[in-house]
Amino acid sequence: MTVASAPVSRPLRPGRNYRLLTAAAIITGLGTHGALIAAAFAVLKAGGDGGDVGLVAAARTAPLVLFLLVGGAIADRVPRHRVMVAANTLNCLSQAAFAWLVLAGDPQLWQMMLLTALCGTGQAFFNPAAEGMLMSSVDREQASRAFALFRMAMQGASIGGAALGGAMIAAMDPGWVLAVDAAAFAVAGALRAFLDVSHIPPRAPGGGLLADMRDGWQEFVGRPWLWSIVAQFSVVVAAVGAAESVYGPLVARDELGGARPWGFALAAFGAGTLGGAMLMTRWKPRRLLLAGTLCVFPLALPAAGLAVPLPVGALCLVMFVSGVAIEVFGVSWMTAMHQEIPEEKLSRVSAYDWFGSVAMMPLATALAGPVESLVGRSAALWGCAALIVLVTGAVLFVPEVRGLTRTPATTEVAKDRGPASADAEGAVGRLG
């Protein structure tokens, strides 16, 4: 397809939109990674225990699960940048209120859960819109490298954000870290207001929001590689979330010396993701999902390291390795989505991807405390590691996961058609 034959629908080359999206992601990354640590330690400072930390974490992910599908459908119906700006505004206001409560002293658990839930609601609308916007801003020839560079910038921000957050919490009230996060959302939202959506073709009139959601579901279930990996990640994300959002701060407090070393461990993970993204600017595996899925196995290492627990230096090492591995998966996954999913359905399919991936997270974080009381923290962490290994091994039995291949950038592939015709007509070219 040439520019002359389809001037309207051809995605923009990485330019103004790509730079704005990258800059905004860096800013929010700096704030959010520190704020996640701050929220956990704010609960502990207020007298909460591991169960309370889990409840606050669950309050963030529950609305994310509830509203993701609606958010994806809306992002495919209205200009995506408007959805992103509105979500950033909600995140800014909720984090600012959370910061004020913590700094004022004696925040109540229900207040922290409510404000965290509002932040999760914003993310439910933001994530599908942002993913669709990023994917529509690059063409196929540049996609893999562009996604790797974007993730490199985003994960580079996580290094500074996690380290800065841990250091700030060790030196001052965690409320100040939450205030920085609120300011970051304000600046990022202002940048995203200038995104250009003129290259995205107008959406044809549809049958309403529910019809759009059903259409996205058909696109999702019509691709075995897509729903099987999303099902895998529903368990992986839940296990990683329980290990790192709930047990990690507790292990840091009881065994490692507090917030600062845990911040260093999270920063090491961020450094690993930076290294993995750098690797993926050069490496383009032909079997996208096979390479990516094999790199999910190392995500079990941090939970195992916390179960021992390893000294800070060794824990930082396993966090680094898992960071490298997840970036190989992340870039491969985004490239496969960009290659296979029609542009006008990207946000809806991304919403089902996000929904499936985080569906079990609220339950996992809410139950982390009771499970720790029942079997002990170490056994719970070993269980998290075992679940990651088991479900990752299982998904390798799906033929499409082992066989989906990268298509040449110069050829026209089945992404412009529905999933049924894509599987029938493109099987020889994509599987082997």
Side-chain angles (χ1 to χ4, degrees):
M1 182 182 295
T2 65
V3 175
S5 64
V8 176
S9 60
R10 181 178 174 83
L12 294 177
R13 288 184 176 274
R16 181 170 175 273
N17 273 9
Y18 184 81
R19 291 193 298 270
L20 285 171
L21 288 166
T22 303
I26 291 172
I27 292 168
T28 52
L30 285 170
T32 299
H33 284 82
L36 291 173
I37 308 171
F41 280 91
V43 175
L44 295 174
K45 181 184 175 183
D49 56 14
D52 294 330
V53 172
L55 288 173
V56 172
R60 182 185 183 92
T61 52
L64 186 62
V65 174
L66 290 174
F67 296 113
L68 263 172
L69 300 184
V70 176
I74 289 176
D76 276 340
R77 294 174 67 89
V78 302
R80 290 173 179 141
H81 69 308
R82 294 182 183 175
V83 179
M84 296 167 71
V85 172
N88 283 168
T89 301
L90 178 59
N91 289 146
C92 173
L93 295 175
S94 61
Q95 289 295 80
F98 195 175
W100 181 82
L101 279 175
V102 174
L103 291 172
D106 197 27
Q108 301 299 305
L109 179 61
W110 71 267
Q111 294 172 324
M112 293 186 284
M113 290 179 65
L114 175 61
L115 292 170
T116 304
L118 288 175
C119 195
T121 301
Q123 289 301 114
F125 287 87
F126 175 84
N127 289 344
E131 195 156 312
M133 192 74 208
L134 176 63
M135 290 187 184
S136 71
S137 297
V138 298
D139 61 24
R140 183 174 304 149
E141 182 180 0
Q142 301 166 317
S144 182
R145 181 175 174 82
F147 296 150
L149 289 172
F150 176 84
R151 293 177 68 97
M152 186 190 307
M154 184 176 63
Q155 301 299 352
S158 75
I159 300 172
L164 180 62
M168 287 181 67
I169 295 166
M172 61 186 70
D173 196 289
W176 289 112
V177 182
L178 297 169
V180 169
D181 191 34
F185 277 120
V187 175
L191 289 176
R192 287 162 177 148
F194 292 99
L195 290 168
D196 180 14
V197 294
S198 62
H199 66 288
I200 301 177
R203 306 294 186 240
L209 198 63
L210 289 178
D212 283 354
M213 292 170 65
R214 285 196 298 270
D215 194 26
W217 172 252
Q218 291 172 356
E219 193 76 30
F220 176 76
V221 299
R223 303 177 187 273
W225 62 268
L226 181 58
W227 61 256
S228 61
I229 288 182
V230 170
Q232 169 205 8
F233 265 77
S234 68
V235 177
V236 170
V237 171
V240 170
E244 298 185 9
S245 297
V246 180
Y247 300 135
L250 296 174
V251 173
R253 182 192 65 183
D254 297 340
E255 306 286 346
L256 303 179
R260 187 187 295 269
W262 182 234
F264 288 151
L266 293 179
F269 176 81
T273 61
L274 182 61
M278 291 178 65
L279 170 65
M280 294 305 287
T281 63
R282 296 282 187 177
W283 184 40
K284 295 184 178 180
R286 181 171 177 268
R287 294 180 185 267
L288 287 165
L289 297 181
L290 177 61
T293 300
L294 289 174
C295 286
V296 178
F297 284 108
L299 292 188
L301 293 176
L306 288 168
V308 174
L310 293 176
V312 176
L315 181 62
C316 287
L317 177 61
V318 299
M319 293 287 280
F320 178 86
V321 170
S322 66
V324 173
I326 196 55
E327 279 306 295
V328 175
F329 172 83
V331 174
S332 299
W333 179 251
M334 291 183 73
T335 304
M337 291 273 284
H338 182 271
Q339 173 179 295
E340 301 294 323
I341 307 299
E343 190 281 331
E344 70 275 9
K345 298 179 182 179
L346 276 173
S347 288
R348 277 169 285 174
V349 174
S350 293
Y352 280 102
D353 174 16
W354 277 97
F355 176 82
S357 297
V358 302
M360 294 178 64
M361 183 74 160
L363 181 63
T365 52
L367 291 179
V371 170
E372 179 189 10
S373 299
L374 183 64
V375 302
R377 188 184 301 164
S378 180
L381 282 162
W382 281 117
C384 291
L387 282 173
I388 293 169
V389 172
L390 287 173
V391 297
T392 303
V395 82
L396 288 173
F397 286 95
V398 179
E400 291 84 353
V401 171
R402 300 193 307 273
L404 190 144
T405 60
R406 184 188 303 271
T407 57
T410 56
T411 62
E412 193 67 26
V413 296
K415 70 171 289 184
D416 297 320
R417 300 183 291 274
S421 60
D423 288 342
E425 298 175 38
V428 175
R430 293 187 288 109
L431 307 176

